[in-house]
Amino acid sequence: MDGYGTAGGGPRFTVDVRWSGRTAVVAVAGELDHDHAEPLRAAISEALERGAERIVVDCGRLAFCDSTGLNILLRGRLEAREAGSSVELAALGPTVARMFDITGAKAVFTVYPELPEDLADGERP
């Protein structure tokens, strides 16, 4: 599940998954929009299939997120809840945080100002 990305002249959006115990840390980078949302959906789904008790999306390198990206995260949150898991967010930059604030979506996620220290290092599958 390591290194999801987009095709073409260099990735505009990448997803990298590592594990810390039963927690999947999904690090996203670049621009999460309609054309590049599938790798995130796939990463969340695979983490749930592998039995993640918790999924933390590290947004520290996420420059942009549109409504498609937001919907992927919201759907992932619902799927996780049905599976007895959770989707949490960390390190929202100002642009992305504003979109979450404006839409009210921030209220439904646990949001950390930065990636929790105990999750900073993990194992790749």
Side-chain angles (χ1 to χ4, degrees):
M1 200 158 59
D2 176 24
Y4 291 95
T6 56
R12 260 184 65 190
F13 178 72
T14 60
V15 177
D16 187 57
V17 180
R18 63 186 185 279
W19 289 82
S20 179
R22 300 302 312 147
T23 298
V25 178
V26 179
V28 294
E31 299 180 6
L32 175 54
D33 59 21
H34 179 273
D35 295 328
H36 303 98
E38 180 56 25
L40 178 58
R41 188 207 60 73
I44 291 172
S45 291
E46 189 170 328
L48 290 172
E49 287 172 13
R50 290 188 56 194
E53 293 175 0
R54 177 178 171 214
I55 299 170
V56 178
V57 181
D58 179 359
C59 301
R61 295 178 45 219
L62 185 63
F64 174 79
C65 179
D66 73 358
S67 61
T68 302
L70 174 62
N71 283 325
I72 294 288
L73 290 166
L74 289 168
R75 268 188 244 124
R77 179 187 158 275
L78 291 176
E79 291 171 10
R81 192 170 67 183
E82 289 174 9
S85 183
S86 64
V87 172
E88 303 166 6
L89 307 175
L92 296 176
T95 303
V96 176
R98 179 163 164 69
M99 192 268 301
F100 274 80
D101 286 335
I102 289 170
T103 61
K106 192 173 184 180
V108 302
F109 289 97
T110 297
V111 180
Y112 304 99
E114 58 188 48
L115 186 64
E117 192 173 308
D118 62 324
L119 301 178
D121 295 318
E123 301 173 8
R124 299 210 187 294

